[in-house]
Amino acid sequence: PISSLPGETGNNEMGLVFGLQKPSSSLWEAGKGLKLAENQLYSDFVVHEIGKEGETIHLDDFSVPVDKEDPPEEIFTVLSPEEKQRLEDLQLFKNKESSVSIEVIEDTKEKRTIIHQAVKSLFPGLETKTENQDGKKCIVAYHAAGKKSLANPRKHSWPKSRGNYCHFVLYKENKDTMDAINMLSKYLRVKPTIFSYMGTKDKRAITVQKIAVLKITAQRLAHLNKCLMNCKLGNFSYKNHPLKLGELQGNHFTVEISPGLMDEVKQAIVFLLIIWYNLTKCVWIFRAILQSNWNEAIDLILKPRPGVERGSLVKCREEWARTKDPAAAFKTLLQKRCVEGQLLWGLSKYGLKNIVSAFNMITRNYRLMYIHSYQSYVWNNMVSQRIEEYGLRAVPGDLVLKGGTAVHIEEVDVDNYTIHEVVMPLPGFDVIYPKHKIGESYKEMLASDNLDINNMKHKIRDYSLSGAYRKIIIRPQNVSWELIEYDDPKIPLFTTDLDKLEGKVPATLARGKYKALKMEFSLPPSAYATMAIREVLKLDTSIKSQSQLNTTWLR
């Protein structure tokens, strides 16, 4: 603990600890005056992914790798908007045309070559040929390999010397990872499944993370920067492998918090709090899946949620509740690549008689999120019981990791361990449980959901729970803090990666009537900064609640 805070900056010597304990009474009194920034200005909550080699991911380079195999830049402008729309409709089988003809106005070999390249590059699955039609030279686009060609980009057009995957950094503002990927796939006219990533990121934030995509050129991705809203792509490279969920080492957070009682916060800046995993409706969806109650799972995804959403999604849910007609509900959606759209498309295609196939139309990463949410829900409850029963000390029967393998603490060894080494299992078929009474609590909780702790394998492989281990207490790394004074509550207080690339100079902050606490720290995967701050401040962090706060307290 820090005995005093004489200055207005801090670093790792703070010893900021995230643990399983309520904050002290002095911090709680100070915390009552704090308001979270991230639900007022999303720019007050910034997340940088930490890669599998321990590097912090930044967007700091817009350049495209030089490759003689890439077509000229003209491919992006040679086709008219009308021609692009006809080609997209052909590519996606949206009309009965078997081909699309594009008249060559400037009939030269170079011009024809560029049009050929434009069609093949921008519309995966289409091939081209040159024909004379009514005395005019035309480029004819057609499907070469049926509907499967859309999911499998042409192999012969990709240089053998180049890695099959283009890795890039995605910078996004106020948009979650899957929404960003759905947007990219729409612009690129490919399926979202060809993208891979190490972890999902919050919506109400500025986030920076690594993405990989199969056989899409850096040149084509970079061109999207001209039309993307709230997203930028950069730091391109070619690799021979995709990215996998969970490969990241964690995330680095920069958070702005405005205190109502700053003097008291200065004296209580070191605190303990519970790292809760993020809980959403996903918990109940996956519980229904585990119980093979597919109708309930579908209803949980599609039923109306009053006051939570707006626009076509509300109409979609209302139509589903009224008619249970997937095709009719699907038509009401403007953004059809969302989870609801994917599920409704599956139900339209397969019907209720093949409901599992319909459900599998949801992107796999979303379905994995349901699994992880249920496991986290159980973990949270069991950790609460563990701390209530045994406190913040290692006890016989607890679990610790040795070389990646979980073992029980025996009575004779208990003094060799601290609470910082104790782990608790996410439920699954490949984990062991504590030997004390919390092990029995796992069994009872799963049984209350009609699940057998000794049989966590689902008949559908994707929904089997293998399990994992998480430490009860996480100590953040790379911790620093700074007190900032300002006058305008609507301006960002620090520069982002994009600001730096665009040469924007941060505003000079003179002494002002408002004060903010800027905190930076790194957390491992599955430890959520938003949940941590919520526990410290004892706040409702929902958008609805935060939007009702007086702006003089918001930062």
Side-chain angles (χ1 to χ4, degrees):
I2 297 176
S3 57
S4 63
L5 297 172
E8 291 199 344
T9 61
N11 52 35
N12 288 343
E13 297 304 315
M14 285 175 60
L16 180 66
V17 176
F18 290 69
L20 285 164
Q21 184 175 323
K22 292 182 180 179
S24 65
S25 59
S26 61
L27 177 65
W28 165 236
E29 289 303 315
K32 288 191 293 187
L34 291 171
K35 303 294 181 279
L36 274 181
E38 53 108 356
N39 284 313
Q40 175 67 8
L41 296 179
Y42 60 77
S43 58
D44 287 339
F45 195 87
V46 180
V47 185
H48 287 89
E49 192 170 69
I50 302 174
K52 56 184 177 180
E53 302 300 327
E55 75 283 10
T56 301
I57 306 300
H58 284 277
L59 178 72
D60 54 21
D61 185 6
F62 281 145
S63 65
V64 175
V66 177
D67 194 327
K68 63 182 180 180
E69 300 284 350
D70 286 335
E73 278 287 316
E74 288 180 79
I75 66 166
F76 299 109
T77 57
V78 69
L79 299 173
S80 70
E82 293 76 18
E83 289 168 339
K84 288 181 179 179
Q85 186 60 56
R86 289 184 65 206
L87 288 165
E88 181 175 350
D89 290 344
L90 174 68
Q91 179 203 33
L92 300 178
F93 299 93
K94 287 186 176 181
N95 54 36
K96 295 182 180 180
E97 287 185 290
S98 60
S99 64
V100 167
S101 296
I102 301 169
E103 183 180 349
V104 182
I105 304 299
E106 183 184 335
D107 187 15
T108 64
K109 183 177 181 181
E110 291 76 13
K111 193 70 172 181
R112 293 197 302 272
T113 298
I114 291 173
I115 296 176
H116 283 292
Q117 291 174 326
V119 174
K120 293 179 180 181
S121 297
L122 302 180
F123 300 91
L126 296 185
E127 291 290 353
T128 57
K129 59 185 177 181
T130 303
E131 288 185 355
N132 287 309
Q133 296 181 356
D134 299 326
K136 299 176 181 178
K137 191 81 73 174
C138 293
I139 304 297
V140 179
Y142 61 96
H143 275 288
K147 294 188 177 183
K148 290 183 179 180
S149 61
L150 186 59
N152 300 296
R154 65 179 60 79
K155 295 180 180 179
H156 66 266
S157 66
W158 194 262
K160 293 182 179 180
S161 60
R162 187 163 63 192
N164 283 341
Y165 294 87
C166 184
H167 287 221
F168 62 94
V169 171
L170 168 66
Y171 169 101
K172 62 182 182 63
E173 299 179 354
N174 203 28
K175 189 182 296 291
D176 70 34
T177 300
M178 284 308 301
D179 283 343
I181 285 177
N182 284 335
M183 179 177 66
L184 294 177
S185 66
K186 180 179 179 180
Y187 277 112
L188 294 168
R189 303 176 183 90
V190 296
K191 288 190 174 182
T193 51
I194 71 171
F195 291 86
S196 59
Y197 46 88
M198 296 183 288
T200 57
K201 300 291 178 283
D202 290 337
K203 174 180 179 179
R204 290 291 294 176
I206 291 175
T207 70
V208 184
Q209 68 183 115
K210 257 298 182 58
I211 304 288
V213 60
L214 176 65
K215 291 186 177 179
I216 298 292
T217 65
Q219 178 194 34
R220 191 173 170 197
L221 290 166
H223 186 75
L224 295 182
N225 283 330
K226 298 178 181 179
C227 55
L228 291 175
M229 295 291 291
N230 299 328
C231 285
K232 291 294 180 183
L233 315 180
N235 295 82
F236 303 102
S237 62
Y238 293 106
K239 307 286 185 182
N240 288 318
H241 57 84
L243 297 171
K244 296 180 181 179
L245 277 174
E247 282 185 325
L248 73 167
Q249 285 198 17
N251 296 286
H252 185 75
F253 298 90
T254 304
V255 184
E256 298 284 353
I257 303 174
S258 176
L261 301 172
M262 181 60 72
D263 290 338
E264 293 183 55
V265 174
K266 282 185 181 181
Q267 301 304 318
I269 197 66
V270 179
F271 47 79
L272 296 173
L273 62 118
I274 298 175
I275 288 291
W276 288 88
Y277 290 158
N278 194 15
L279 295 178
T280 66
K281 67 181 185 301
C282 301
V283 170
W284 317 119
I285 294 171
F286 190 66
R287 184 170 65 176
I289 293 172
L290 286 174
Q291 297 168 350
S292 295
N293 192 339
W294 297 99
N295 287 318
E296 181 183 350
I298 287 172
D299 192 50
L300 284 167
I301 294 173
L302 296 177
K303 71 180 182 180
R305 301 171 195 164
V308 176
E309 297 164 329
R310 298 178 181 177
S312 65
L313 199 52
V314 172
K315 295 179 180 179
C316 168
R317 297 187 188 284
E318 291 174 347
E319 181 66 26
W320 172 257
R322 186 174 62 86
T323 66
K324 291 293 189 283
D325 183 340
F330 183 75
K331 286 180 181 179
T332 65
L333 282 173
L334 295 178
Q335 173 51 268
K336 299 185 185 299
R337 299 191 183 209
C338 59
V339 169
E340 293 80 4
Q342 292 167 353
L343 177 56
L344 289 167
W345 175 255
L347 290 171
S348 300
K349 182 177 181 179
Y350 295 104
L352 294 176
K353 292 183 179 179
N354 195 351
I355 201 167
V356 174
S357 294
F359 200 86
N360 284 346
M361 293 297 288
I362 298 174
T363 303
R364 185 172 183 269
N365 284 339
Y366 264 131
R367 289 184 277 123
L368 288 176
M369 184 171 63
Y370 299 146
I371 297 174
H372 297 154
S373 293
Y374 181 79
Q375 290 176 307
S376 300
Y377 165 68
V378 174
W379 190 91
N380 285 343
N381 279 275
M382 294 299 99
V383 168
S384 294
Q385 289 188 34
R386 160 63 181 78
I387 298 304
E388 184 176 353
E389 184 70 31
Y390 299 111
L392 291 173
R393 60 188 178 89
V395 298
D398 274 336
L399 293 168
V400 293
L401 294 178
K402 286 189 175 181
T405 301
V407 298
H408 292 103
I409 299 177
E410 302 296 337
E411 182 79 43
V412 295
D413 296 323
V414 71
D415 291 336
N416 296 327
Y417 299 99
T418 70
I419 191 65
H420 294 274
E421 297 165 276
V422 175
V423 298
M424 293 276 282
L426 295 166
F429 60 79
D430 197 26
V431 296
I432 61 175
Y433 296 88
K435 281 186 176 179
H436 45 57
K437 65 172 61 178
I438 303 304
E440 189 64 25
S441 295
Y442 270 97
K443 182 177 180 179
E444 292 170 357
M445 184 173 182
L446 292 172
S448 69
D449 286 336
N450 298 319
L451 301 173
D452 181 358
I453 197 171
N454 297 314
N455 184 20
M456 297 299 289
K457 288 189 176 182
H458 196 277
K459 60 183 179 181
I460 300 173
R461 184 178 178 181
D462 272 359
Y463 304 125
S464 288
L465 301 180
S466 60
Y469 299 98
R470 295 285 183 267
K471 285 187 175 181
I472 287 179
I473 292 181
I474 298 296
R475 186 186 298 272
Q477 303 297 312
N478 307 312
V479 177
S480 64
W481 62 273
E482 179 183 2
L483 296 180
I484 300 174
E485 297 186 19
Y486 60 98
D487 283 319
D488 188 348
K490 296 181 180 179
I491 63 169
L493 297 183
F494 49 87
T495 55
T496 65
D497 286 1
L498 186 58
D499 291 334
K500 294 172 184 177
L501 271 172
E502 295 178 345
K504 293 182 180 178
V505 179
T508 301
L509 301 175
R511 297 184 67 83
K513 58 183 177 180
Y514 302 123
K515 293 181 179 180
L517 172 64
K518 176 184 175 182
M519 300 174 59
E520 291 196 47
F521 51 89
S522 299
L523 294 174
S526 299
Y528 290 81
T530 48
M531 297 296 103
I533 296 171
R534 184 193 72 179
E535 290 301 311
V536 166
L537 306 182
K538 298 301 178 185
L539 289 176
D540 178 356
T541 57
S542 67
I543 294 175
K544 181 179 179 181
S545 173
Q546 289 290 309
S547 65
Q548 295 172 352
L549 297 174
N550 188 315
T551 56
T552 60
W553 292 113
L554 285 168
R555 184 72 223 159

